[in-house]
Amino acid sequence: MSTDTGPAIELRGASKIFRTPSGGLHTAVRELDLTVARGEFVAVVGPTGCGKSTTLTLVSGLEEPTDGEVLVAGQPVEGVGDKVGFVFQQDATFPWRTVLSNVMAGPRFRGVPKAEAKAKAREWLARVGLASFEDRYPHQLSGGQRKRVALAATFVNDPEILLMDEPFSALDVQTRALMSDELLELWEGTGASVVFVTHDLEESIALADKVVVMTAGPATVKQVFDIDLPRPRKVESVRLLPEFIDIYREIWESLGEEVRITRERGAADVA
Ligand SMILES: Nc1ncnc2c1ncn2[C@@H]1O[C@H](COP(=O)(O)OP(=O)(O)O)[C@@H](O)[C@H]1O
Ligand SMILES: [Mg+2]
């Protein structure tokens, strides 16, 4: 961890305008102001197509803002840094590599000696319950198991910042809840700051310290809600708490309006 104590992530008036293939301009996000403290778990919710993934690409350094600033650990983001880990909806595993080799890939890439990388990879595989699966290939695993490999392959790099883009959306409901619990367990020991993008409000409340509601596209921050539910949490039980139901209702009032606006524009222009 770096020594300065400022926020982990800051977006200041960040906008992103894309040039479309037909030569037009498309504003994906506008004047975003967002702060993520160190060790904080922030969930970002918003209607489909509003600009959530674009926001993450700005933080990751995959894209530069057209206007405004994006800072990580107090420094302007320049390219993809090694402090940042990603988990996406699609599996990011190498299909031709075994589970162990997949999890070793990050440390090896960063020059960690093989024996050490292997030991670290095995430690993380054990933590995600895949110790006995290290010789399998990704196609020989279930969707949930592949997601566990992706989590191990991310956490093994000790990321200071974890960017997650609807990582569990493709999983069935029960596996999703299990993965959420597992993510919280893995994260709680690390001190990493998380930005977790989802269109699922329940998921966002169950996981996060703070839920950021985005407007209909082009997205900007509409409202930020603090989630004061106790930790450690188990998603299946936390969502039954009366406080959960109250905050759900409150946030839905804000989010639901943006979802309606997006729907009324028609499904045609939301990808
Ligand atoms: N590289 C790109 N070029 C042009 N338009 C893009 C690009 N990436 C995203 N967009 C557009 O920006 C808007 C926001 O997209 P995105 O951030 O993926 O939304 P979300 O993740 O909230 O569903 C969409 O209308 C999308 O079509
Ligand atoms: Mg997206």
Side-chain angles (χ1 to χ4, degrees):
M1 293 273 152
S2 22
T3 48
D4 74 305
T5 51
I9 301 167
E10 259 185 296
L11 288 95
R12 296 188 193 148
S15 299
K16 181 69 192 178
I17 303 173
F18 287 113
R19 199 165 279 285
T20 61
S22 55
L25 296 175
H26 179 88
T27 304
V29 297
R30 61 188 161 101
E31 291 157 32
L32 278 176
D33 290 310
L34 182 65
T35 304
V36 180
R38 304 214 173 213
E40 192 173 37
F41 197 125
V42 172
V44 174
V45 290
T48 311
C50 76
K52 300 181 295 299
S53 296
T54 303
T55 304
L56 280 192
T57 63
L58 295 180
V59 177
S60 68
L62 287 167
E63 295 278 1
E64 283 177 29
T66 315
D67 269 308
E69 284 185 294
V70 182
L71 308 174
V72 166
Q75 299 297 315
V77 173
E78 276 171 35
V80 181
D82 57 9
K83 294 182 183 138
V84 181
F86 304 90
V87 185
F88 300 109
Q89 185 177 339
Q90 294 88 1
D91 295 317
T93 47
F94 302 115
W96 63 89
R97 288 183 170 204
T98 63
V99 164
L100 180 62
S101 162
N102 261 289
V103 180
M104 285 171 65
R108 289 295 285 149
F109 183 74
R110 285 179 296 111
V112 174
K114 197 166 180 180
E116 191 184 331
K118 193 180 267 185
K120 252 191 123 186
R122 285 198 163 127
E123 186 191 316
W124 279 101
L125 281 171
R127 291 175 77 165
V128 298
L130 290 179
S132 57
F133 290 81
E134 64 172 55
D135 293 328
R136 299 244 191 140
Y137 288 88
H139 77 271
Q140 297 169 321
L141 301 175
S142 72
Q145 289 170 329
R146 275 201 297 274
K147 217 30 107 176
R148 291 195 171 90
V149 174
L151 287 180
T154 304
F155 278 106
V156 75
N157 299 312
D158 299 320
E160 287 181 30
I161 288 174
L162 197 54
L163 304 178
M164 309 188 81
D165 195 350
E166 312 224 17
F168 307 144
S169 299
L171 302 173
D172 64 81
V173 177
Q174 283 115 32
T175 311
R176 259 179 111 156
L178 276 176
M179 291 310 302
S180 300
D181 286 344
E182 231 162 84
L183 169 63
L184 286 181
E185 256 174 57
L186 296 174
W187 163 73
E188 268 154 17
T190 63
S193 313
V194 184
V195 184
F196 187 105
V197 161
T198 177
H199 60 264
D200 182 336
L201 180 53
E202 204 171 282
E203 180 175 57
S204 75
I205 300 170
L207 290 171
D209 298 316
K210 218 159 86 177
V211 171
V212 176
V213 175
M214 305 282 243
T215 62
T220 193
V221 173
K222 181 180 185 186
Q223 236 176 318
V224 180
F225 296 86
D226 287 319
I227 310 297
D228 291 324
L229 300 166
R231 292 193 190 273
R233 297 181 194 160
K234 291 272 178 216
V235 303
E236 293 290 15
S237 41
V238 87
R239 70 191 176 89
L240 302 174
L241 296 173
E243 305 94 283
F244 186 100
I245 295 162
D246 290 345
I247 190 82
Y248 183 98
R249 233 183 245 130
E250 197 185 333
I251 304 179
W252 179 248
E253 235 169 76
S254 184
L255 172 63
E257 189 185 346
E258 304 306 316
V259 171
R260 263 191 310 279
I261 293 169
T262 305
R263 267 195 209 134
E264 277 161 19
R265 283 180 192 162
D269 61 358
V270 291

